[in-house]
Amino acid sequence: GDLNTNTTFDKWKPVGTLNRPFIGTFDGDGHTIRGLYVNVNENYVGLFGCVGAGGTVNNVTIADSYVSGKVNVGDICGRNDGGIVETCTSGCTVKGTGKAVGGICGSNQNGNRAGLVLNCHNTGKVSGNENVSGVCGYNYSDSIIQGCYNTGTVSGTWYFGGVCGQNDGTLEKCYNTGKVGTGST
């Protein structure tokens, strides 16, 4: 069925906002979330809208899901603002109408400490306008993406790539085997 109208999905309100980021610990314990559905004309969209310094999200897979928003859109989190996102997998459709769109995180930023995205991978379709990628749309200075990879399809208009759309931070031990190009997925 059409992911935009699929009624078997559960509508989800992202956890954490820019003003009140998630700063706890979420350990998925290796479980998979299926049927996550977020389709809003808002910023900071994903399972978590914004993860802040002190926040950790790890060991979770999201599959058979649909996440769509404007800016800072990601399957696991829209914006990682100094938190840690580790050992997470995205296998769903992620769309953003603006910039900072990624399969794992829309953006990885330096809050009170460097944002870390570690050992994550994307197998789903990711599309957006600017700063679009399978793992992290925009990796800001002093933030780190390490040990991540993308095998999904990525499409964007400006600054797009398999692992990172725009990197001003550190990108280590990552790779892409997915199709990357312009247009829509």
Side-chain angles (χ1 to χ4, degrees):
D2 184 357
L3 289 174
N4 291 305
T5 59
N6 191 325
T7 56
T8 62
F9 283 14
D10 294 318
K11 289 186 180 176
W12 180 256
K13 180 168 178 53
V15 177
T17 64
L18 183 60
N19 294 330
R20 294 187 60 110
F22 175 77
I23 55 171
T25 298
F26 176 87
D27 184 347
D29 197 28
H31 292 284
T32 298
I33 297 171
R34 295 183 189 279
L36 182 77
Y37 181 79
V38 186
N39 187 7
V40 294
N41 190 25
E42 297 174 9
N43 301 333
Y44 311 106
V45 176
L47 177 64
F48 291 86
C50 187
V51 175
T56 300
V57 178
N58 60 11
N59 300 321
V60 68
T61 295
I62 301 178
D64 304 322
S65 299
Y66 182 85
V67 175
S68 179
K70 286 171 47 177
V71 176
N72 283 296
V73 179
D75 195 13
I76 304 298
C77 71
R79 175 171 166 166
N80 181 28
D81 199 16
I84 300 170
V85 177
E86 184 172 20
T87 321
C88 294
T89 301
S90 169
C92 73
T93 299
V94 178
K95 293 184 177 184
T97 57
K99 64 182 183 176
V101 182
I104 302 296
C105 293
S107 64
N108 188 34
Q109 304 195 22
N110 185 355
N112 294 326
R113 66 177 189 199
L116 303 175
V117 177
L118 308 171
N119 303 314
C120 295
H121 72 276
N122 174 64
T123 62
K125 291 181 177 181
V126 181
S127 63
N129 185 29
E130 182 178 342
N131 307 123
V132 183
S133 89
V135 176
C136 184
Y138 197 149
N139 191 39
Y140 284 76
S141 62
D142 298 327
S143 291
I144 299 166
I145 299 172
Q146 184 180 70
C148 297
Y149 67 93
N150 173 63
T151 60
T153 302
V154 176
S155 67
T157 307
W158 302 99
Y159 304 106
F160 54 90
V163 173
C164 189
Q166 183 170 345
N167 179 40
D168 294 334
T170 302
L171 190 62
E172 303 179 315
K173 301 177 185 172
C174 298
Y175 69 89
N176 172 67
T177 60
K179 180 182 175 189
V180 177
T182 59
S184 60
T185 57

